[in-house]
Structures are given as structure tokens and as C-alpha cells.
Amino acid sequence: MLSLTPEDIQAILLSLKVALTATLLSLPLGFAVAWVMVFRSFRGKVVLEVLVNLPLTLPPVVIGYFLLLLLGRNGWAGKFLDAWGIPFIFTWKAAVIASATVGFPLLVRSIRLGMESIDRQLIQASRSLGARWFDTLVTVVLPLSIRGILAGSSLMFARSLGEFGATIIVAGNIPGLTQTIPLAIYDYASSPSSTMMALSLCLVAVVISVLVLFVHEVLSRNIEKQEAA
């Protein structure tokens, strides 16, 4: 039996909110970065690839600390936000940025793989018929990258649900405000008497992840059938 407190339900809802917001905010930039990496050649491209994939190799706590330096009151971005009266550190918005930063490489890599599978002759045919690069992007590249976008979004959403290290640094672990599922489990794990509470949240996390993967598979199969037709 699940044993969930009102704080646990808030943590679940906040996790979904953070993961969904991080994914939606990252999609346009992720698509643009993937497009540049696949279809453009320029000096410093290797540097861009390293920077995009760097969060995969850095410990999440390190990423969180860098974000804290950047977005804190003494950071240049933090000073700008503070001047506009926008609270950021130790809010759910900071958790979104942390999740987006950690999950961004997975999003870009999946979209990039989808773009690399596109037949370049289709793009050349579009351009030869007079289509501008933006028209080709919208009518050719975007539709043929849907599977990569879907895969990347699913991976990033799932990664955001499990984000812990960067989130606890920049957002803290405030019940009802910034406490997500992993942070709540961390609290319960420190108390032997809270084993069932921790297991309940673990089960919820597993169920959500399975549902995300199931929806991903269903949509992928539907897209594959449409392409085959």
C-alpha cells in the first residue's frame, strides 16, 4: 500500500512540473543547437560539442555549484535578476534550470541522431525548388526529426524527474516549495523509521518513468506506421 503524505503529493506534483517545464523550455534551444551541429561547419564546432556534452561528465553537484555562482546574488545573472526583483535561488525555477542543464545533452544528442538520419537529397531538393533555409527547416528537417525530438524529450523528462545533485545546491530541499521526489526520498532515507515512506515515493517514481517510456513507445510506433504508409 502506498503511504503518501500531503508533502509527498506536493513533491510528486512539483517533480512533474519541474520536469515538464525544463523539457519544454529546452526544446527550442536543443533543436537549434542540434541543427547547427549537424548542418553547419564552422571554427570552434568541437568546442560547442564539448560544452554541450560537458554536463554528462561533470558531477551534478559541480553543475549546481556553478549555477549557484552564476545565479546567486553575487553572480552577474543573479545581480540582473535581483535588480528586477525576481527571486530565483531556492525557488522551483532554480530546480528547472538545474534539471534543464543536466538533461540538455541527452535532448540534443537524440535530436542530432534524428537529423543525421535525414536523407540530404531531400534537403537539396527543397533548396533547389527555391525554398529558403527556414522553409526547409520547417517543412523537411522538423517533420523528419520528430522521432529524435520525441526520444530526446522523453529522456530529458525522465532525467529531470531524477535530478538530485544540482537541484539541492541551487534550489535547496524545502518541503512544499522546492522538494522534489529524489529530495524527499533522501530525507526519508536518513531515518530508519521512514522506510515505507521512501519505498512509496520510489514506487511512484518507477510508475511515472514506466508511463513516460510507454507513451514514448506508443508515439514512436504510430509515427513509424505513418512514415511507412
Side-chain angles (χ1 to χ4, degrees), residues 10-83:
Q10 286 183 322
I12 294 168
L13 295 177
L14 181 61
S15 293
L16 295 173
K17 179 181 179 181
V18 168
L20 182 60
T21 304
T23 302
L24 292 178
L25 289 178
S26 300
L27 264 176
L29 180 60
F31 183 85
V33 170
W35 180 80
V36 169
M37 294 173 70
V38 173
F39 296 106
R40 285 290 180 266
S41 298
F42 55 90
R43 283 187 175 182
K45 188 175 181 179
V46 174
V47 176
L48 175 62
E49 294 181 355
V50 170
L51 291 176
V52 169
N53 292 305
L54 188 60
L56 289 177
T57 58
L58 285 177
V61 174
V62 173
I63 297 173
Y65 186 70
F66 285 150
L67 289 176
L68 185 63
L69 294 178
L70 175 66
L71 300 171
R73 288 190 173 183
N74 294 325
W76 67 266
K79 291 179 180 178
F80 175 80
L81 294 171
D82 191 54

Side-chain angles (χ1 to χ4, degrees), residues 12 15 22 39 42-44 46 54-55 60 111 116 118 120 138-139 157 172 184 187 196 225:
I12 294 168
S15 293
F39 296 106
F42 55 90
R43 283 187 175 182
V46 174
L54 188 60
I111 298 177
E116 289 176 343
I118 298 175
R120 296 298 180 95
V138 174
T139 60
F157 184 87
D187 271 356
M196 290 305 300
K225 289 180 181 178

Side-chain angles (χ1 to χ4, degrees), residues 69-217:
L69 294 178
L70 175 66
L71 300 171
R73 288 190 173 183
N74 294 325
W76 67 266
K79 291 179 180 178
F80 175 80
L81 294 171
D82 191 54
W84 283 89
I86 303 175
F88 201 87
I89 295 298
F90 301 122
T91 67
W92 75 274
K93 295 185 285 291
V96 170
I97 296 300
S99 296
T101 303
V102 173
F104 190 73
L106 299 176
L107 177 68
V108 173
R109 177 169 293 188
S110 296
I111 298 177
R112 182 179 179 179
L113 291 174
M115 288 182 177
E116 289 176 343
S117 66
I118 298 175
D119 189 347
R120 296 298 180 95
Q121 292 183 351
L122 296 176
I123 298 176
Q124 294 173 359
S126 174
R127 297 304 300 273
S128 66
L129 292 174
R132 295 174 297 179
W133 71 268
F134 183 76
D135 295 328
T136 301
L137 179 67
V138 174
T139 60
V140 179
V141 178
L142 180 59
L144 295 179
S145 303
I146 288 296
R147 295 183 67 180
I149 293 173
L150 179 61
S153 299
S154 301
L155 287 174
M156 182 169 183
F157 184 87
R159 179 65 184 84
S160 298
L161 283 175
E163 167 50 33
F164 176 84
T167 301
I168 200 170
I169 296 294
V170 295
N173 187 10
I174 308 172
L177 185 61
T178 64
Q179 188 177 71
T180 57
I181 293 176
L183 298 180
I185 293 174
Y186 173 77
D187 271 356
Y188 285 136
S190 62
S191 174
S193 61
S194 301
T195 301
M196 290 305 300
M197 308 294 289
L199 286 175
S200 296
L201 281 177
C202 288
L203 180 59
V204 170
V206 170
V207 170
I208 294 175
S209 298
V210 169
L211 287 176
V212 170
L213 294 175
F214 179 76
V215 171
H216 164 70
E217 289 297 328

